Amino acid sequence: MSDSPTLPTTLRGYERAARERLDQATAAYFFGAAGDGQTAQRNLSDLAEVQIFPRHLREIKGGGTRCTMLGQNLDAPIIVAPMAAQQLLHSQGETATAAAATAQGCGMVLSTQSNVPMENVRAEGPNARTFQLYWQGRDATLALAQRATDAGFQSLVLTVDAPVNGVRDEEIASGFQFPASLPFPNLAAQPPQFAPLTGTESAIFERIAYVMPTWDDVAWLCRHAPLPVLPKGIMHPGDVALEQDAGAAGLIVSNHGGRVLDGVPSSISALPAIRQTAGADFPVLFDGGIRRGVDIFRAIALGADAVLIGRPVLFGLAVGGALGVSHVLRLLRDELEITMALAGCRTLGDITRDCVRVPDGFIPY
Ligand SMILES: Cc1cc2nc3c(=O)[nH]c(=O)nc-3n(C[C@H](O)[C@H](O)[C@H](O)COP(=O)(O)O)c2cc1C
């Protein structure tokens, strides 16, 4: 008889088990979406609409999923997305996630809003080599970039799609708040404190807008940061040239899993146009709605070099800590390999645009 806990066998099973374990407010924060959840839902349903054209009887001996992303060798083109406050799901928080990503030969982007100091995460999970920044003003952002460099990170992600919080009804209704005791040891500075609003003053346009970053700030960071910078949250092909001109080392197509602005198109529907605009050799990563290995195949066929996995990692963490995250990543890896074998693709380079059919409604390119 084995002592190991019985783990779910699918990502859906992990989601069910995670929801059973969490109270309503915590589940609303981790698994909820903005507004009416239309964008979050579209991320899933549009991926499902991308149909795969298999080619049979091809030689696939000696193939595999290995790749090099931003100078890092990975066993699969799978990277854990930056996600905040993981100690609310498991006492080891981001350390468990990084250890699991490392065990599975996957990458990890560590969130600025991690509950574990970035140095400790790197020590336990050396595959966590990318650090995510939220803009905190030039000096504080650069100081954090320098600290990440000293801790051994090799690239930076600058999240550009969430300068203010989205409207997250479920969270508001459930009264979710971070407990006062929850540590955020990587935040370079306290968020700016504003005096109370008066009269009809606008919190967004007359206060927060003055601390929101612009493309000039991105260019400044790319010039001064010791590591390559990748903006995360690019959805419009028109932003690609701006970020290439700013000196970015790549980009991440993402709508933040539908957690920020509801009504945005699915991220998969934006991916082909963004790849087309970015050119063949520019690093393009993708996230939003990946729940199966077949979704990774779809994203690669439409132009992604690698994918980031969001909520499923949190399902694994809530259910089984490092073991749960490791199993979730393993399931995705195995499913990607099976999809490649059944579609006749020996390597990631064989997963090309003509392996899939794209539905009407994707952003034209
Ligand atoms: C609970 C939660 C916290 C998140 N925190 C961050 C964050 O700190 N920084 C960031 O850039 N993105 C954050 N994201 C967005 C993810 O990085 C990613 O873009 C998104 O989850 C991908 O969609 P998926 O969950 O459908 O895979 C968060 C997402 C979730 C679900």
Side-chain angles (χ1 to χ4, degrees), residues 55 60 63-66 77 297 300 333-351:
R55 300 295 303 270
I60 63 158
T65 60
R66 289 211 177 82
F297 184 98
I300 292 174
R333 276 187 60 174
D334 288 349
E335 287 184 9
L336 173 61
E337 288 184 14
I338 291 167
T339 307
M340 287 170 66
L342 293 175
C345 295
R346 200 176 74 86
T347 66
L348 299 176
D350 294 337
I351 308 176

Side-chain angles (χ1 to χ4, degrees), residues 280-292:
D281 298 327
F282 195 67
V284 171
L285 280 68
F286 167 87
D287 76 24
I290 301 277
R291 299 293 179 269
R292 288 221 175 244

Side-chain angles (χ1 to χ4, degrees), residues 171-190:
E171 254 175 62
I172 296 165
S174 68
F176 176 82
Q177 287 194 324
F178 288 135
S181 58
L182 195 66
F184 288 99
N186 304 308
L187 276 179
Q190 292 303 315

Side-chain angles (χ1 to χ4, degrees), residues 106-351:
C106 297
M108 172 167 164
V109 183
L110 180 69
S111 169
T112 288
Q113 296 183 337
S114 156
N115 301 134
V116 180
M118 61 171 96
E119 295 78 6
N120 303 21
V121 175
R122 286 267 319 133
E124 299 298 324
N127 269 27
R129 290 214 206 153
T130 306
F131 187 76
Q132 177 262 330
L133 301 162
Y134 279 118
W135 188 254
Q136 299 176 50
R138 288 189 175 187
D139 291 349
T141 306
L142 190 58
L144 203 51
Q146 185 59 56
R147 182 175 156 194
T149 311
D150 295 343
F153 288 90
Q154 293 180 347
S155 49
L156 300 168
V157 159
L158 177 69
T159 302
V160 298
D161 61 2
V164 299
N165 282 337
V167 177
R168 295 218 288 264
D169 295 354
E170 260 185 277
E171 254 175 62
I172 296 165
S174 68
F176 176 82
Q177 287 194 324
F178 288 135
S181 58
L182 195 66
F184 288 99
N186 304 308
L187 276 179
Q190 292 303 315
Q193 301 295 320
F194 297 108
L197 293 174
T198 55
T200 59
E201 210 179 358
S202 153
I204 300 291
F205 292 105
E206 292 167 52
R207 301 289 180 88
I208 296 170
Y210 290 90
V211 294
M212 281 166 58
T214 64
W215 283 114
D216 281 347
D217 294 311
V218 176
W220 179 89
L221 185 68
C222 292
R223 271 199 312 279
H224 290 90
L227 298 175
V229 177
L230 290 85
K232 170 173 179 279
I234 303 297
M235 284 294 294
H236 198 296
D239 279 345
V240 174
L242 293 173
E243 72 109 49
Q244 288 180 329
D245 289 348
L251 63 84
I252 304 178
V253 178
S254 172
N255 53 30
H256 219 106
R259 291 170 64 82
V260 180
L261 178 59
D262 198 24
V264 172
S266 65
S267 44
I268 195 70
S269 72
L271 175 61
I274 289 181
R275 165 52 81 197
Q276 175 88 359
T277 315
D281 298 327
F282 195 67
V284 171
L285 280 68
F286 167 87
D287 76 24
I290 301 277
R291 299 293 179 269
R292 288 221 175 244
V294 72
D295 295 328
I296 303 174
F297 184 98
R298 289 166 161 139
I300 292 174
L302 293 182
D305 292 310
V307 300
L308 277 62
I309 310 295
R311 294 175 184 85
V313 166
L314 303 177
F315 304 151
L317 186 64
V319 172
L323 186 63
V325 175
S326 189
H327 189 208
V328 161
L329 295 173
R330 182 80 229 177
L331 287 169
L332 287 168
R333 276 187 60 174
D334 288 349
E335 287 184 9
L336 173 61
E337 288 184 14
I338 291 167
T339 307
M340 287 170 66
L342 293 175
C345 295
R346 200 176 74 86
T347 66
L348 299 176
D350 294 337
I351 308 176

